[in-house]
Amino acid sequence: EAKVFEDGKDVTPAGFGRIAAQTAKQVILQKIRESEKEVILKEYREKIGTIVTGLIFRAEGSVLVFDLGKAHGVMPPAESVNGEDYHMNQRMKVLVKDIREGPRGTEIIVSRSDPQFIVKLFESEVPQIASGTVVIEAIAREAGSRTKIAVSSRDDKIDPIGSCVGQKGVRVQAVIAELNGEKVDIVPFSVSVEKLIASALSP
């Protein structure tokens, strides 16, 4: 038996039997699930532009679905990297790129091809970038092939390229390893377009 109360008063409709109670239960559970989903989406909205670790647990055609822990992330073909090998139960880092409406409702879009993925990888490896002393001023990427970043320093005593490369190349090698061997060129930034182009094209 179930009863409905409003402001402490019994307002149970006549004939409120088992079927009606079951329907009420389903509606309440649905509202709870919707509320839980909205809380999770709010949490991931705050993570847009950051890197998370996910587990590939399903492929829907050319779309990969990642288990991010509390939610699922969707990686469309445009956000994957040509030449990368993806397989079930593979754990990898992805960028939370966007939250948008898709064919299955609201989807968390994740990416490995976005240039911002490189920026965030360097941020995690280079303390000077995380602190804002070294700045990635410009970035160009052909995902899976090569990336060029132009860096500057806000402190004359700190070498921006040396900071990104690290001792014996340890920092840049950590980024390259995550990118499965994608070439990463680091060049000095200049407000002079001619100097910037010359630096970007130099071997």
Side-chain angles (χ1 to χ4, degrees):
E1 186 181 348
K3 291 185 179 294
V4 181
F5 290 88
E6 187 177 328
D7 297 330
K9 294 179 182 177
D10 185 348
V11 292
T12 309
F16 189 74
R18 185 174 59 83
I19 294 173
Q22 191 68 25
T23 303
K25 178 184 174 184
Q26 288 170 356
V27 170
I28 291 165
L29 287 174
Q30 184 182 347
K31 292 293 182 186
I32 290 171
R33 280 193 292 268
E34 287 173 3
S35 296
E36 287 173 342
K37 187 177 179 182
E38 191 50 48
V39 167
I40 291 168
L41 287 174
K42 183 184 176 188
E43 181 182 327
Y44 278 90
R45 279 191 190 99
E46 293 170 0
K47 289 184 178 180
I48 289 175
T50 65
I51 287 177
V52 297
T53 300
L55 188 77
I56 300 173
F57 83 106
R58 195 168 73 238
E60 298 175 357
S62 56
V63 176
L64 293 173
V65 181
F66 283 76
D67 181 355
L68 304 178
K70 291 182 179 178
H72 293 162
V74 177
M75 183 188 283
E79 303 300 339
S80 61
V81 177
N82 285 335
E84 273 195 339
D85 182 33
Y86 302 112
H87 52 265
M88 295 304 109
N89 298 320
Q90 182 180 6
R91 190 172 291 279
M92 59 194 337
K93 292 178 179 176
V94 292
L95 177 81
V96 180
K97 183 172 180 176
D98 196 10
I99 293 178
R100 60 183 184 229
E101 288 300 320
R104 293 177 295 273
T106 308
E107 296 175 335
I108 300 168
I109 305 298
V110 297
S111 175
R112 279 183 63 85
S113 66
D114 195 283
Q116 191 66 17
F117 183 56
I118 306 276
V119 173
K120 290 299 175 181
L121 285 176
F122 270 102
E123 212 172 88
S124 66
E125 293 293 336
V126 183
Q128 291 88 343
I129 292 178
S131 68
T133 308
V134 172
V135 180
I136 296 176
E137 301 278 4
I139 181 167
R141 186 182 187 201
E142 292 176 17
S145 177
R146 68 167 63 237
T147 290
K148 286 183 185 279
I149 64 171
V151 293
S152 68
S153 176
R154 291 179 177 167
D155 186 337
D156 294 339
K157 296 174 185 173
I158 293 177
D159 171 20
I161 294 177
S163 298
C164 293
V165 171
Q167 194 170 12
K168 296 182 180 178
V170 65
R171 289 174 179 171
V172 72
Q173 288 301 327
V175 173
I176 290 170
E178 179 60 41
L179 300 172
N180 296 307
E182 184 174 319
K183 290 175 184 157
V184 178
D185 296 338
I186 306 165
V187 302
F189 177 75
S190 173
V191 291
S192 163
V193 175
E194 292 85 352
K195 284 184 181 177
L196 180 59
I197 291 172
S199 297
L201 294 178
S202 65

